[in-house]
Amino acid sequence: MSNRPDLTALEILVLVAETGSLGAAARRVGMAQPNASRALARLERQLGLTLVVRTPAGSRVTTEGEVVTAWAREALGAMDRMILGARSLAAEQAAHLTVAASLTIAEYLAPRWLARFRRAHTDLHVSLAVGNSGEVLEQLAARKIPLGFVETPTVPRTVASTTVARDELVVVVGTSHPWARRRTPVEPGELIAAELVLREVGSGTRDTLVRALERSGTPLAATSMELASTVAVKAAAVEGSAVAVLSELAVTAELATGQLVAVPVQGLDLTRSLRAVWLPERRPEGTAAELIRIAKASK
């Protein structure tokens, strides 16, 4: 309704009923008495009722005014509850940061970022949702999260992003695989002809490999195995028959202990950017922006 009464006028009416004085009511709402009088007169015109009788001894509400005053108290109380509830929600939101990250980032980078972040914000609860890069972008599009971290070679035009780190994929095999003793680099054609074990469709690691192969003119054919976790891919490679392509972040320990062997590759650019992503209309501010700064500083 366009002719809803002004809340200040309703508050003045309630205060007149409580104090018996228009002047006292005006002072309580921080308004000059003539302005308060005009607000009450406007309210009376809107409702078509005489609400207050003014006398030299003071002001009193009419019988109709008493009824309207009771309703006004309910309306003002409801407004106060709405404001209090909204402030509580805002405080809860400010004290809780939820982000999502792709698997490689969540396993090997985000824990360090969040540990540094928590040292500066001990009173803030942080939730980290984990999925592949496609799932993170879906959560972002559905507005389930304000901020995500992905490892895809590109991001949709509907998403804003900034690079927080660099990464490189490496080809790895188990110690019993024939390539473990190979000294010459593997060509892209040899790689796609091998028994590959890869992450699932939607994974940033897989998308990076697919993009690199397409640029080299050797598109990826059907693979022998697709697994939904980095740990599973590594385990399959350690067994010896499969060739895996994973982030160097994910295989550092296995390369150091000799469980996996890195195979040199030529003709493929397997470097990639790791990005923070958000919706353009929800640019990160406050704690979300600080988390991005921490991620960039940890390169």
Side-chain angles (χ1 to χ4, degrees):
M1 294 173 61
S2 59
N3 60 342
R4 285 193 178 98
D6 179 69
L7 289 175
T8 302
L10 294 180
E11 188 174 2
I12 292 169
L13 175 63
V14 170
L15 291 170
V16 168
E18 292 176 355
T19 65
S21 167
L22 178 59
R27 287 192 295 274
R28 292 272 292 274
V29 299
M31 183 181 288
Q33 183 169 334
N35 292 337
S37 180
R38 282 193 287 271
L40 266 182
R42 186 165 54 251
L43 177 62
E44 289 177 323
R45 288 195 301 273
Q46 283 180 303
L47 300 180
L49 295 170
T50 299
L51 303 175
V52 175
V53 175
R54 301 156 183 85
T55 69
S59 301
R60 63 176 180 82
V61 295
T62 63
T63 301
E64 292 84 356
E66 290 178 357
V67 176
V68 174
T69 297
W71 291 335
R73 284 195 180 97
E74 292 179 8
L76 292 169
M79 181 59 67
D80 289 342
R81 289 191 295 275
M82 185 274 289
I83 292 172
L84 180 61
R87 286 175 178 169
S88 297
L89 288 174
E92 180 180 344
Q93 186 178 45
H96 190 167
L97 176 63
T98 300
V99 299
S102 57
L103 285 169
T104 299
I105 294 173
E107 290 179 17
Y108 302 102
L109 293 176
R112 185 166 72 250
W113 301 344
L114 294 177
R116 289 186 58 190
F117 182 82
R118 284 283 294 148
R119 285 197 292 270
H121 298 279
T122 56
D123 58 339
L124 183 68
H125 178 68
V126 182
S127 297
L128 176 65
V130 181
N132 64 38
S133 292
E135 291 166 343
V136 172
L137 291 169
E138 287 174 4
Q139 288 188 62
L140 194 68
R143 296 177 176 269
K144 293 181 179 178
I145 54 169
L147 178 66
F149 294 92
V150 298
E151 54 201 79
T152 49
T154 60
V155 295
R157 293 183 178 180
T158 54
V159 169
S161 69
T162 184
T163 297
V164 297
R166 301 286 180 181
D167 184 30
E168 184 171 1
L169 303 187
V170 292
V171 176
V172 293
V173 296
T175 55
S176 62
H177 192 282
W179 286 3
R181 294 169 295 281
R182 180 166 177 152
R183 294 294 176 262
T184 58
V186 170
E187 300 282 347
E190 293 178 280
L191 183 63
I192 64 171
E195 184 182 343
L196 286 173
V197 54
L198 299 177
R199 288 281 309 281
E200 77 289 359
V201 174
S203 156
T205 298
R206 183 193 181 103
D207 288 349
T208 299
L209 174 62
V210 168
R211 180 64 63 89
L213 287 169
E214 288 175 348
R215 286 199 300 264
S216 74
T218 50
L220 182 67
T223 59
S224 302
M225 255 193 297
E226 293 181 2
L227 301 175
S229 79
T230 301
V231 172
V233 173
K234 286 194 291 186
V238 167
E239 289 301 313
S241 60
V243 177
V245 183
L246 291 168
S247 163
E248 62 181 352
L249 294 168
V251 295
T252 299
E254 288 78 10
L255 292 176
T257 59
Q259 291 178 283
L260 290 174
V261 177
V263 181
V265 179
Q266 69 179 15
L268 283 181
D269 179 9
L270 295 176
T271 59
R272 62 178 177 174
S273 297
L274 307 181
R275 297 180 175 90
V277 290
W278 62 89
L279 295 179
E281 65 273 21
R282 301 180 71 188
R283 185 173 182 82
E285 298 177 347
T287 53
E290 184 174 349
L291 181 57
I292 293 175
R293 287 194 293 272
I294 289 173
K296 287 184 173 183
S298 302
K299 290 181 182 179

